[in-house]
Amino acid sequence: MMDLLKDKVCFVTGTSRGIGAAILRRFVEEGAIVYANARTEGSLESVCEEYTCQGRIIPLYFDITDEKAVKQAFLTIKKEQQKLDVLVNNAGIMKDALIGMINKKLMQEIFEVNVFAMMQMIQLANKLMSRQKSGSIINMASIVGTNGNSGQLVYSASKGAVVAMTKTAAKELASDNIRVNAVAPGMIDTDMFRSIGETKVQENLERIKMGRLGSPDDIANACVFLASDLSAYISGQILGVDGVTVI
């Protein structure tokens, strides 16, 4: 490890499994202090024990759609660290539906988590980062947010909003030296992706030119780069991590 994030204070949402868990581990391995969000109380105990000697993980259990809890999380970070170097907006949900089956409840649920909650996170991060005139905000987009995909109209629309939000926030916050970028994963080997069934997994695998599913670490490594000073002059970019996937 190269200590690329040595002593950086990071806030990562949705860290209990999959991509979020990989980001949490990689950030700690690179020397960061990570405030790790998850919804389920106690779900981060094992990873905290794993890194207990370093004291680098501070669990924050709350739902990112709970506005009061989100504000309290930022107040905690401000009180304990007096700064915030990196925010990773990883938490999100994916629910698929054909156009004829979409209802308002589904639209509201997906946009509440994937878009509205992320907007609030960006607003609150900006309050801390603008005072210190530095920071990196990393949003989790998706290949379907840039390319679209059949059967995912609502989800792809929410991730398309993340793309637009990222580009706009980058322009607005650049004067305070706050960088805003997004990672757009392709098909990543997580429990969520595997839930579609092995037949579908194999069908999708044929669309990946590199011949394999991405791993959570592939996404985490991209986040390490965007969180580190290696990307100091990069903002407003959507970094596709998809192994050249054709959809």
Side-chain angles (χ1 to χ4, degrees):
M1 301 309 161
M2 297 179 284
D3 279 343
L4 290 173
L5 305 180
K6 184 174 175 57
D7 296 330
K8 286 187 182 291
V9 176
C10 306
F11 186 8
V12 185
T13 65
T15 60
S16 63
R17 60 179 182 166
I19 290 172
I23 294 171
L24 171 57
R25 283 184 163 84
R26 286 292 292 115
F27 275 29
V28 171
E29 288 167 359
E30 292 294 345
I33 299 166
V34 184
Y35 283 78
N37 157 259
R39 281 190 302 176
T40 305
E41 191 79 27
S43 60
L44 299 176
E45 284 184 5
S46 61
V47 70
C48 287
E49 289 173 3
E50 182 180 344
Y51 291 98
T52 187
C53 59
Q54 296 164 286
R56 293 282 175 170
I57 299 173
I58 301 94
L60 295 174
Y61 296 110
F62 65 90
D63 188 318
I64 63 167
T65 63
D66 183 337
E67 293 185 18
K68 289 183 179 179
V70 171
K71 289 178 181 177
Q72 185 56 53
F74 279 92
L75 287 172
T76 297
I77 295 170
K78 180 182 178 182
K79 180 181 178 181
E80 295 179 357
Q81 305 293 337
Q82 294 80 51
K83 69 170 186 171
L84 176 64
D85 297 302
V86 180
L87 168 66
V88 182
N89 284 311
N90 170 70
I93 59 173
M94 181 178 70
K95 293 188 177 182
D96 299 342
L98 295 171
I99 291 172
M101 302 300 291
I102 294 169
N103 55 46
K104 192 169 184 179
K105 181 181 178 182
L106 178 66
M107 290 186 281
Q108 288 177 327
E109 184 179 4
I110 291 177
F111 270 74
E112 282 286 348
V113 177
N114 293 359
V115 181
F116 304 148
M118 187 182 291
M119 283 185 179
Q120 185 191 21
M121 298 288 291
I122 292 171
Q123 285 181 303
L124 293 171
N126 173 48
K127 288 184 178 181
L128 286 176
M129 293 176 173
S130 61
R131 293 190 181 100
Q132 64 204 34
K133 298 296 181 183
S134 66
S136 174
I137 297 173
I138 304 166
N139 300 325
M140 200 59 63
S142 169
I143 190 173
V144 303
T146 56
N147 294 44
N149 194 37
S150 176
Q152 293 188 300
L153 189 144
V154 181
Y155 178 70
S156 64
S158 74
K159 291 302 184 178
V162 171
V163 169
M165 196 188 321
T166 298
K167 291 179 177 292
T168 299
K171 289 178 171 65
E172 187 170 334
L173 303 183
S175 60
D176 284 327
N177 196 34
I178 300 170
R179 297 179 291 109
V180 188
N181 294 288
V183 175
M187 299 176 198
I188 307 302
D189 195 356
T190 62
D191 291 341
M192 181 184 293
F193 182 76
R194 289 281 178 182
S195 69
I196 66 176
E198 191 58 32
T199 300
K200 285 289 186 181
V201 168
Q202 290 304 314
E203 288 177 4
N204 283 310
L205 192 56
E206 294 176 5
R207 299 154 73 182
I208 304 172
K209 296 301 183 181
M210 284 191 174
R212 69 170 178 89
L213 295 175
S215 72
D217 276 345
D218 288 323
I219 306 304
N221 288 332
C223 290
V224 168
F225 167 69
L226 292 174
S228 76
D229 294 339
L230 292 176
S231 58
Y233 198 55
I234 298 173
S235 193
Q237 302 305 305
I238 314 301
L239 177 58
V241 185
D242 57 38
V244 192
T245 298
V246 180
I247 64 172

